């Protein structure tokens, strides 16, 4: 497996580490998303302990408004975080 493929598998594994806790094993409810963000993206996303921030992120990701974030919906957060990280690397 290539380095990039290892990282992609790692992202999937992290998603599943949090999604299996409550309800559907392949989606994140708000508390699971909050736990994932506060544990895994605390240095990347500001105000991760602020419930209003979590609510805003959850609402933006839950595009079908079913109260759950699927992996496909979660990818939007990853894309945003990666784009910001890429921009920040070039600023250093």
């Amino acid at each position: 497996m290539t380095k990039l493929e290892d990282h992609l598998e790692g992202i999937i594994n992290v998603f599943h580490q949090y999604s299996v806790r409550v309800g559907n094993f392949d989606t994140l409810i708000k508390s699971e998303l909050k736990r994932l963000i506060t544990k895994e993206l605390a240095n990347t996303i500001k105000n991760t302990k602020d419930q209003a921030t979590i609510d805003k992120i959850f609402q933006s990701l839950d595009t079908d408004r079913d109260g759950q974030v699927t992996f496909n919906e979660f990818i939007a957060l990853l894309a945003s975080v990666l784009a910001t990280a890429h921009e920040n690397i070039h600023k250093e």
Side-chain angles (χ1 to χ4, degrees):
M1 199 178 283
T2 69
K3 186 175 181 178
L4 180 57
E5 290 168 333
D6 279 339
H7 290 296
L8 294 173
E9 184 176 330
I11 290 169
I12 293 166
N13 289 339
V14 167
F15 178 86
H16 284 133
Q17 177 183 342
Y18 292 90
S19 70
V20 299
R21 296 176 185 265
V22 178
N24 186 330
F25 71 93
D26 209 28
T27 63
L28 298 167
I29 61 170
K30 192 181 294 185
S31 62
E32 292 169 326
L33 180 67
K34 179 179 181 178
R35 179 171 279 154
L36 186 155
I37 288 172
T38 57
K39 299 285 186 190
E40 306 294 339
L41 296 171
N43 298 315
T44 306
I45 298 176
K46 295 178 182 177
N47 301 321
T48 59
K49 300 210 186 269
D50 177 47
Q51 189 60 46
T53 299
I54 299 299
D55 290 345
K56 184 177 178 181
I57 292 170
F58 189 85
Q59 288 176 338
S60 71
L61 295 177
D62 185 18
T63 57
D64 61 4
R65 304 293 181 244
D66 67 350
Q68 302 175 84
V69 173
T70 65
F71 186 77
N72 286 342
E73 291 170 328
F74 178 68
I75 291 170
L77 176 63
L78 295 180
S80 176
V81 167
L82 280 170
T84 300
H86 182 254
E87 290 172 11
N88 289 339
I89 285 172
H90 288 292
K91 291 177 184 176
E92 293 177 358

